[in-house]
Amino acid sequence: TLSNTLGHHKGPIFALKWNKKGNFVLTAGVDKTTIIWDANTGDCKQIFAFHNAPALDVDWQNNTAFASCSTDMSIHVCKLGSERPTKTFSGHTNEVNAIKWDPSGQLLASCSDDMTIKIWNTKQESFLHSLSAHGREIYTIKWSPTGPSTDNPSANPYLASASFDSTVRLWDIERGSCVHTLNKHTEPVYSVAFSPDGKYLASGSFDKCVHIWSTATGQLVNTYKGTGGIFEVCWNSKGDKVGASASDGSVFVLDVRR
C-alpha cells in the first residue's frame, strides 16, 4: 500500500537515495534543489537550493550529510540543519553526472561530461586525482565493496567507470591509475555493479549486452544478450544473480553460476 507521496519538487526528479538508518530519503531535481524527507511522515525536512542548474545525483556520506552534483559543474557537501554547504568542490569543466562516496565515507568520486573522474577529500579544497582515459562522457561510477571499512578488508579497493566511449575502466585510486580497460561493449555503457565479494563486475550497455568481468584479471567471464539497451544492472546479496532492465521495458534476472 502507498505510505506517502512526497510532493515538493517542481519538475522531474533525477535521483533518490535512502540513508543507511532508513529514516530519511534524499532527492535531487531538475528544479536545482536537493531535499531531505522524513521517511516515516513524508514531511520535507530541509530544502537545499545551492545549485544554479539541475541537480543530477546525490549520495549520503553518513545518516545526515550528503553530496550533490549538477549540470552547473559543481559539487556541494551538505548537512541536515546547516544553512550553507559544508564544502564545495569545483574543478570539472562540464556537467557532473554522478557522485559516490567510498565505503569509508572519506573519499568522494565524481564523473563528468568533461571525460574525467575526480577524487575529492573533504579535508582539502582541490581534487586528489583527476583521472583521464575515457574518450567520451562518463555516465556513472561505482566503488568496489573491498578494502578498509568493508566486508572484504583484505581485497584491493577499485573504482569502476562506465562511459559513452563503450568502455568500462577499473581504477586503482591509491595509485591514481587505470588497472583494466574492459572493451567488449559496442555502444555507450550506462551501468556497472560489483558483486558483493568484489570479485566480479557486471556492466550493461545500449548494445543490449550484459557482460560479467573478473576484477582481478579484467577478463570477460560471461555475456548475456537482451532484447533492448541495458540501462541498469545490479547483483543480489548472495552474488549468484544479476538483474538488468532494458529500454524495451523488459527486466530479466541472470543466473551467473551457469
Side-chain angles (χ1 to χ4, degrees), residues 186 206-211 223-228 230 252 254:
T186 57
F206 212 68
D207 64 8
K208 304 180 183 176
C209 289
V210 175
H211 291 329
T223 298
Y224 304 88
K225 185 86 181 256
T227 51
I230 311 295
F252 52 97
L254 310 165

Side-chain angles (χ1 to χ4, degrees), residues 111-209:
C111 65
S112 167
D113 279 3
D114 68 10
M115 304 187 287
T116 72
I117 297 160
K118 298 198 190 308
I119 309 295
W120 315 83
N121 183 326
T122 51
K123 296 181 180 72
Q124 59 187 75
E125 299 301 316
S126 64
F127 45 81
L128 291 175
H129 299 292
S130 183
L131 309 173
S132 307
H134 282 294
R136 283 195 61 193
E137 301 94 328
I138 305 166
Y139 188 72
T140 193
I141 44 178
K142 290 278 172 63
W143 292 94
S144 62
T146 52
S149 308
T150 73
D151 293 335
N152 311 292
S154 59
N156 285 337
Y158 292 112
L159 184 76
S161 57
S163 170
F164 284 4
D165 67 7
S166 307
T167 72
V168 174
R169 287 179 179 267
L170 275 175
W171 305 86
D172 179 323
I173 295 307
E174 282 183 16
R175 294 198 187 103
S177 61
C178 180
V179 185
H180 298 300
T181 303
L182 315 178
N183 52 16
K184 292 283 195 289
H185 285 296
T186 57
E187 295 279 345
V189 186
Y190 282 95
S191 183
V192 284
F194 284 95
S195 61
D197 60 8
K199 291 179 179 174
Y200 299 100
L201 182 76
S203 60
S205 162
F206 212 68
D207 64 8
K208 304 180 183 176
C209 289

